[in-house]
Amino acid sequence: MIVTRTEDAIIERLRRGMGRMVRQIGSYGGELDDELGIAIGNFPAAWVTFGGITKTEPTGTSRQKFKATGQFVVMVGDRNVRCEDAGRRGGAGPNEIGSYSLVYAVRRLLSGQDLGLPIDPLLPARVRTLYNTRGRGDAFSVFACEFQTAWIEEPLPRGHWPSPQTVDDADAVIAQNDGRLEEPPPDWLRTGLNYHLIPDDGIADARDIISTRSKP
């Protein structure tokens, strides 16, 4: 799925690009909702999540495909035992990165990138404050960096069902879960071209056969 591939590619680029700026980076799994204390202990950190599809519209001359506009969010957080200001701005110590620097690095590394995928380049959008407070004696702040992109989705022909060809096919998840499938269309082996001279008596005067497979 393009959503999974994009999220994984964002994580990989940030992992390579941010280096020692973060202690933890990965797909968001509710760390800031369920285990905030543990999450703070792993700061500075970054998590990536899919923010949903905000718009879908027909595209192309045939209008048989759709352009989906989606959002991805990178959440970054840092803490500081001295003060809230240092948690945001960073400090003199080598490990005092600051959440502002994390926001900069994320936008610098991702803006305008297509990550080698069939998506529009990532467009930087809002940066929102999620936390800016104290907890257990530590001052910490968390920001959400939003990015927008788009990709093309091709619907099934009307009345048809998926027919995945390989295990890497996006529709393979339907097959693996006993969803309804149909046989794939047969291979197009050859095309016949008939030529008629004028006046046309209804009988082809010449014919070509074009094979889609090369001869052994």
Side-chain angles (χ1 to χ4, degrees):
M1 291 177 58
I2 192 63
V3 169
T4 303
R5 293 169 62 195
T6 302
E7 182 177 302
D8 288 345
I10 289 174
I11 292 171
E12 180 58 24
R13 182 168 175 86
L14 292 179
R15 179 178 289 119
R16 296 174 63 185
M18 298 183 79
R20 294 185 291 105
M21 292 182 68
V22 290
R23 296 176 59 189
Q24 184 182 87
I25 183 169
S27 181
Y28 183 64
E31 286 84 353
L32 298 175
D33 300 318
D34 302 327
E35 301 292 343
L36 183 58
I38 296 176
I40 293 173
N42 290 322
F43 281 0
W47 298 279
V48 182
T49 189
F50 176 53
I53 293 176
T54 58
K55 181 174 63 174
T56 303
E57 54 190 356
T59 187
T61 54
S62 66
R63 315 294 281 180
Q64 297 299 308
K65 296 181 180 181
F66 297 96
K67 186 172 186 178
T69 300
Q71 184 183 79
F72 289 85
V73 182
V74 182
M75 290 167 283
V76 296
D78 197 10
R79 66 169 180 160
N80 195 287
V81 297
R82 292 190 292 109
C83 64
E84 180 269 339
D85 185 71
R88 289 181 291 110
R89 297 171 177 264
N95 297 320
E96 296 181 311
I97 298 297
S99 53
Y100 286 173
S101 293
L102 298 178
V103 168
Y104 170 80
V106 167
R107 288 169 64 88
R108 180 66 169 164
L109 290 168
L110 296 181
S111 297
Q113 303 297 318
D114 66 8
L115 309 169
L117 298 173
I119 61 173
D120 286 355
L122 292 168
L123 177 66
R126 297 188 304 169
V127 176
R128 297 181 288 111
T129 301
L130 299 183
Y131 293 96
N132 190 16
T133 186
R134 277 188 175 275
R136 298 191 309 175
D138 293 341
F140 68 96
S141 57
V142 181
F143 292 90
C145 306
E146 299 177 357
F147 294 87
Q148 180 178 293
T149 185
W151 58 89
I152 302 300
E153 295 180 347
E154 187 169 355
L156 290 168
R158 190 169 301 163
H160 285 259
W161 301 92
S163 54
Q165 306 292 301
T166 68
V167 294
D168 296 324
D169 192 311
D171 283 338
V173 65
I174 297 176
Q176 293 163 4
N177 290 279
D178 298 324
R180 180 169 176 177
L181 305 174
E182 67 179 28
E183 290 296 323
D187 293 337
W188 192 281
L189 300 179
R190 62 185 64 86
T191 299
L193 300 176
N194 293 328
Y195 302 93
H196 296 260
L197 299 177
I198 298 177
D200 186 1
D201 58 4
I203 300 175
D205 297 285
R207 189 182 188 197
D208 282 335
I209 301 294
I210 300 175
S211 176
T212 59
R213 291 185 176 180
S214 59
K215 295 181 179 180

